[in-house]
C-alpha cells in the first residue's frame, strides 16, 4: 500500500500532541515545529497530487482490512487537490499568526492548528461515511478552541453559538447515517453507492430521507441559506488568522456534496434522481443574494468579509448544483480561487483592525496605509470577480457552464448583479477606511472584544506578516496565469467524479 495517502492525517496527528506534551512552555520551539509540520504537509500534498494526476485511484486499507469491512482512505484527483489547497492555505496563515503575535494571545494555538489540519485532510481522504462524521467532529473541537483563542466574552459567546449550531448538524449527521445504514447495510461510500444503484425505485422512501438529511448536514457546513446563521458572527468574532483558515472549512461541506452526490446519490441514480439539484440550486442563488446584501450593509470589516465568504459559497454551490462535468470543473477552479481570496481579505482585515479598529467609518491614517489599501484592493477585485485576477475567470466559467441550464437566466442575473453589488460594497468600505480620514486626534473606541484583546499583543513582525499576505496574492496570480493547466486538471477531476464505477472498482476491487 502507498503510505503517502495516510501521511497528511498522521503528520498533524503526531505533531499536535507532541507540541502540547513536550513544547507547551516553549513558544519559539512550537513555532519552529509548527512551520516545519506545515512545510512537510505541503511536500506530502505535492507528492500525492503528482501521484493522483495520472488518474489512478489508490486505496489505503487501515489494518489491512479490505473494504467494506475495514476503514479505507482513498486518493483520487479530487481528494489530492483539496489536501494540496489545505496545505497551500495553511503555510501563509501560520506564518501570519506568528508574525502578528496571535499565536501568543492564548494557549495551544499551534496544537489546535494541526488538529484542525488533521480533521480537514481526513475529511478529504476518507472513503467511509462514518469516518467523515468523525473527522467533522475533529474539525468542530479544534475549531472551537481556535475560535476562542485569546479569550474575551464576545468571542466566547460566538464560540458557544458556533458549537451549539454545529452540534445540531452532528446530530442530523448521525440520524442520516443511521437511516442510510438501515437501508443499505453499509457506510463505506463505494459499497453504499453500489447498493443504492441496485435498490428498486418503489422501495426508496427511507433512502431519500437519509439523502436529504445528509444534504442538510453538508449545507450547514457550507453555510447555505437558511442554514448560514452561524457563520457571520463566528467568523467575524474569531481571531482573523483563524477565520482565514476557516475559509477551507466551508469547502469541506462543498466537497462532501460533490463526493456523495456524484458517487451514491447522483442525478443519474434512479432512486434519488432530481433530489439534490431541485433543493440545492435555489438555496445557492438565495445564499449568493443574501451574502452580497450583507457585504453592502456591514458596518464592521470582519463581518463584511464573513459575508464575502457566504457570497462566494453561493457562487460555488450554483456551479455544483448543475451536476454536469463542465459545471463541476468550473466549481473546482472556483474552490481554489474563493478559498485563497477569502483568506486574503481576512488577513487584510486583521491588518486594519490591529492598527485602527474594525468599524467601517472614516478614521485617522494608519501605518502602512498605502500598502494595506493596495492589498485590500487586490482582495476586493478578486472576490468581486473583476479582471484580471482568477475571480473573473472563475465566474466566467460558472456562467458559461450554466448556459444550457433550465434556470440559466436566473443564474446569470443573480451572479452578475451579485458581482456588481459586491463591487459597490467593497468600494464603499475601502473608501471609508482608507481614503476618508478624520483628524489624527480621532481615536475610535473598539466595538468588539476582538479589537481589545484580553492579553496585550506582542510587537508584531510586520515584514513577515506582509510577506504572508503577499503569499496569498501570489497564489491568486499563479492561479490566473496558469488557468489553462488548472482548468485541465479540474476537467479531468470532474470526469473522474462522473465515472464513479472507477472509484467503486478501486475501493471494492482491492486495486492499489
Amino acid at each position: 500500500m502507498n503510505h503517502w495517502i495516510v501521511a497528511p492525517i498522521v503528520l498533524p496527528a503526531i505533531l499536535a500532541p507532541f507540541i502540547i506534551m513536550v513544547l507547551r512552555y516553549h513558544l519559539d520551539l512550537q513555532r519552529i515545529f509548527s512551520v516545519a509540520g506545515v512545510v512537510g504537509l505541503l511536500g506530502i500534498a505535492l507528492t500525492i497530487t503528482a501521484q493522483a494526476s495520472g488518474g489512478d485511484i489508490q486505496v489505503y486499507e487501515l489494518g489491512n482490512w479490505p473494504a467494506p469491512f475495514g476503514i479505507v482512505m482513498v486518493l483520487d484527483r479530487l481528494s489530492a487537490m483539496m489536501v494540496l489547497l489545505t496545505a497551500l492555505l495553511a503555510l501563509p496563515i501560520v506564518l501570519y499568526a506568528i508574525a502578528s503575535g496571535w499565536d501568543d494571545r492564548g494557549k495551544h494555538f499551534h496544537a489546535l492548528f494541526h488538529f484542525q489540519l488533521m480533521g480537514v485532510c481526513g475529511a478529504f481522504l476518507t472513503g467511509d461515511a462514518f469516518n467523515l462524521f468523525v473527522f467533522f467532529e475533529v474539525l468542530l473541537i479544534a475549531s472551537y478552541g481556535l475560535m476562542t483563542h485569546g479569550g474575551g466574552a464576545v468571542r466566547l459567546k460566538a464560540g458557544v453559538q458556533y458549537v451549539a449550531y454545529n452540534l445540531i448538524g452532528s446530530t442530523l449527521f448521525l440520524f442520516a447515517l443511521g437511516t442510510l445504514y438501515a437501508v443499505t447495510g453499509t457506510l463505506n461510500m463505494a459499497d453504499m453507492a453500489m447498493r443504492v444503484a441496485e435498490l428498486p425505485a418503489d422501495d426508496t422512501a427511507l433512502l431519500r430521507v437519509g439523502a436529504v438529511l445528509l444534504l442538510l448536514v453538508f449545507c450547514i457546513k457550507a453555510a447555505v441559506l437558511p442554514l448560514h446563521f452561524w457563520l457571520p458572527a463566528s467568523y467575524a468574532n474569531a481571531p482573523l488568522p483563524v477565520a482565514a483558515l476557516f475559509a477551507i472549512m466551508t469547502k469541506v461541506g462543498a466537497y462532501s456534496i460533490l463526493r456523495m452526490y456524484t458517487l451514491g446519490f447522483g442525478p443519474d441514480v434512479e432512486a434519488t434522481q432530481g433530489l439534490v439539484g431541485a433543493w440545492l440550486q435555489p438555496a445557492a442563488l438565495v445564499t449568493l443574494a443574501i451574502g452580497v446584501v450583507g457585504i453592502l450593509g456591514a458596518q464592521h470589516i470582519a463581518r463584511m468579509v464573513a459575508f464575502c465568504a457566504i457570497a462566494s459559497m453561493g457562487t460555488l454551490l450554483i456551479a455544483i448544483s448543475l451536476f454536469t462535468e463542465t459545471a463541476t470543473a468550473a466549481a473546482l477552479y472556483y474552490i481554489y480561487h474563493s478559498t485563497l481570496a477569502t483568506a486574503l481579505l481576512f488577513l487584510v482585515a486583521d491588518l486594519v483592525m490591529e492598527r485602527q479598529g474594525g468599524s467601517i467609518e472614516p478614521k485617522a491614517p494608519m501605518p502602512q496605509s498605502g500598502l494595506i489599501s493596495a492589498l485590500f484592493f487586490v482582495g476586493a477585485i478578486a472576490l468581486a470577480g473583476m479582471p484580471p485576477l482568477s475571480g473573473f475567470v472563475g465566474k466566467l466559467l460558472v456562467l458559461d457552464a450554466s448556459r444550457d441550464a433550465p434556470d440559466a437566466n436566473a443564474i446569470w442575473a443573480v451572479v452578475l448583479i451579485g458581482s456588481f453589488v459586491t463591487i459597490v460594497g467593497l468600494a464603499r468600505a475601502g473608501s471609508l477606511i482608507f481614503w476618508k480620514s478624520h483628524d489624527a486626534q480621532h481615536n475610535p473606541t473598539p466595538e468588539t472584544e476582538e479589537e481589545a484583546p484580553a492579553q496585550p499583543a506582542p510587537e508584531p513582525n510586520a515584514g513577515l506578516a506582509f510577506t504572508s499576505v503577499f503569499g496569498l496574492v501570489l497564489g491568486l496570480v499563479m492561479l490566473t496565469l496558469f488557468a489553462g493547466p488548472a482548468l485541465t486538471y479540474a476537467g479531468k477531476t470532474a470526469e473522474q467524479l462522473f465515472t464513479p464505477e472507477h472509484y467503486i472498482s478501486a475501493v471494492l476491487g482491492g486495486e492499489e
Side-chain angles (χ1 to χ4, degrees):
M1 287 188 290
N2 179 8
H3 296 291
W4 285 105
I5 299 174
V6 77
I9 304 170
V10 172
L11 176 61
I14 293 174
L15 188 56
F18 175 78
I19 290 174
I20 292 177
M21 293 186 291
V22 180
L23 308 176
R24 63 187 305 170
Y25 300 115
H26 306 281
L27 181 61
D28 289 340
L29 288 177
Q30 287 184 39
R31 289 171 169 176
I32 292 170
F33 275 85
S34 183
V35 173
V38 174
V39 171
L41 179 63
L42 179 57
I44 293 168
L46 289 169
T47 301
I48 64 175
T49 302
Q51 293 175 352
S53 62
D56 293 332
I57 299 176
Q58 302 181 54
V59 179
Y60 188 91
E61 298 170 347
L62 296 179
N64 284 324
W65 283 85
F69 307 105
I71 298 170
V72 295
M73 300 294 164
V74 184
L75 176 66
D76 63 356
R77 287 191 176 106
L78 178 60
S79 58
M81 69 167 279
M82 296 305 294
V83 171
L84 179 59
L85 175 59
T86 303
L88 289 171
L89 182 68
L91 183 57
I93 290 173
V94 73
L95 291 174
Y96 182 90
I98 293 169
S100 61
W102 265 110
D103 63 335
D104 195 28
R105 300 188 193 182
K107 295 182 179 180
H108 311 310
F109 176 88
H110 292 286
L112 291 167
F113 189 89
H114 284 276
F115 275 128
Q116 185 81 19
L117 295 180
M118 170 194 167
V120 172
C121 292
F124 292 145
L125 288 166
T126 186
D128 184 273
F130 182 77
N131 280 280
L132 181 62
F133 165 78
V134 171
F135 285 118
F136 271 27
E137 294 311 293
V138 173
L139 285 174
L140 176 62
I141 295 169
S143 60
Y144 174 71
L146 289 171
M147 269 199 65
T148 56
H149 179 79
V154 175
R155 190 169 293 135
L156 181 61
K157 179 182 177 181
V160 170
Q161 292 173 343
Y162 166 80
V163 169
Y165 200 80
N166 277 274
L167 282 176
I168 295 173
S170 299
T171 305
L172 288 176
F173 205 163
L174 285 176
F175 287 159
L177 293 178
T179 303
L180 293 173
Y181 186 80
V183 175
T184 64
T186 185
L187 291 176
N188 179 279
M189 293 180 187
D191 194 35
M192 185 185 298
M194 189 173 66
R195 298 192 185 195
V196 166
E198 295 171 352
L199 286 175
D202 296 336
D203 192 26
T204 59
L206 199 57
L207 175 70
R208 293 172 71 87
V209 170
V212 170
L213 286 175
L214 205 59
L215 182 62
L216 285 175
V217 173
F218 297 152
C219 285
I220 289 174
K221 302 298 181 183
V224 178
L225 191 128
L227 307 172
H228 73 296
F229 296 110
W230 62 272
L231 191 147
S234 299
Y235 280 32
N237 290 309
L240 293 190
V242 172
L245 178 65
F246 285 3
I248 193 67
M249 286 179 54
T250 50
K251 308 308 185 296
V252 175
Y255 163 87
S256 301
I257 293 172
L258 269 177
R259 175 66 75 194
M260 293 297 294
Y261 292 90
T262 57
L263 182 62
F265 309 115
D268 297 329
V269 177
E270 185 178 359
T272 57
Q273 191 171 28
L275 181 63
V276 181
W279 290 62
L280 188 57
Q281 189 176 108
L285 290 169
V286 178
T287 300
L288 173 55
I290 293 299
V292 298
V293 170
I295 294 170
L296 192 62
Q299 299 300 314
H300 192 279
I301 187 170
R303 192 170 181 86
M304 181 190 70
V305 181
F307 277 107
C308 287
I310 292 174
S312 69
M313 283 306 300
T315 304
L316 171 61
L317 290 169
I318 288 170
I320 290 176
S321 68
L322 297 172
F323 280 100
T324 64
E325 282 190 26
T326 304
T328 300
L332 295 176
Y333 181 90
Y334 194 80
I335 282 176
Y336 259 74
H337 157 76
S338 62
T339 303
L340 297 177
T342 303
L344 170 62
L345 268 188
F346 271 121
L347 295 189
V348 172
D350 188 68
L351 291 173
V352 173
M353 289 176 63
E354 289 293 310
R355 286 159 176 79
Q356 65 172 22
S359 61
I360 299 175
E361 60 183 21
K363 297 185 179 73
M366 72 181 83
Q368 296 100 24
S369 176
L371 185 56
I372 297 173
S373 64
L375 290 169
F376 179 85
F377 177 75
V378 171
I381 65 172
L383 267 180
M386 294 290 289
L389 291 179
S390 51
F392 179 70
V393 178
K395 287 195 175 180
L396 275 183
L397 292 171
V398 172
L399 291 174
D400 182 63
S402 65
R403 282 187 302 171
D404 298 326
D407 298 322
N409 292 337
I411 292 172
W412 276 61
V414 172
V415 171
L416 293 176
I417 295 173
S419 297
F420 174 75
V421 176
T422 300
I423 294 168
V424 173
L426 293 174
R428 163 189 164 271
S431 64
L432 289 173
I433 293 171
F434 299 108
W435 289 288
K436 291 185 178 181
S437 60
H438 286 173
D439 294 333
Q441 300 297 323
H442 182 69
N443 184 22
T445 301
E447 294 183 4
T448 65
E449 188 71 20
E450 293 75 344
E451 297 178 40
Q455 301 178 16
E459 186 69 24
N461 184 335
L464 181 57
F466 280 106
T467 300
S468 305
V469 178
F470 273 107
L472 293 171
V473 174
L474 178 62
L476 292 172
V477 172
M478 297 297 287
L479 189 59
T480 307
L481 293 177
F482 295 96
L487 189 57
T488 299
Y489 186 92
K492 291 180 179 179
T493 304
E495 181 182 355
Q496 193 175 61
L497 278 172
F498 281 85
T499 51
E501 58 271 15
H502 297 317
Y503 185 99
I504 295 171
S505 175
V507 173
L508 300 181
E511 298 178 13
E512 300 179 9

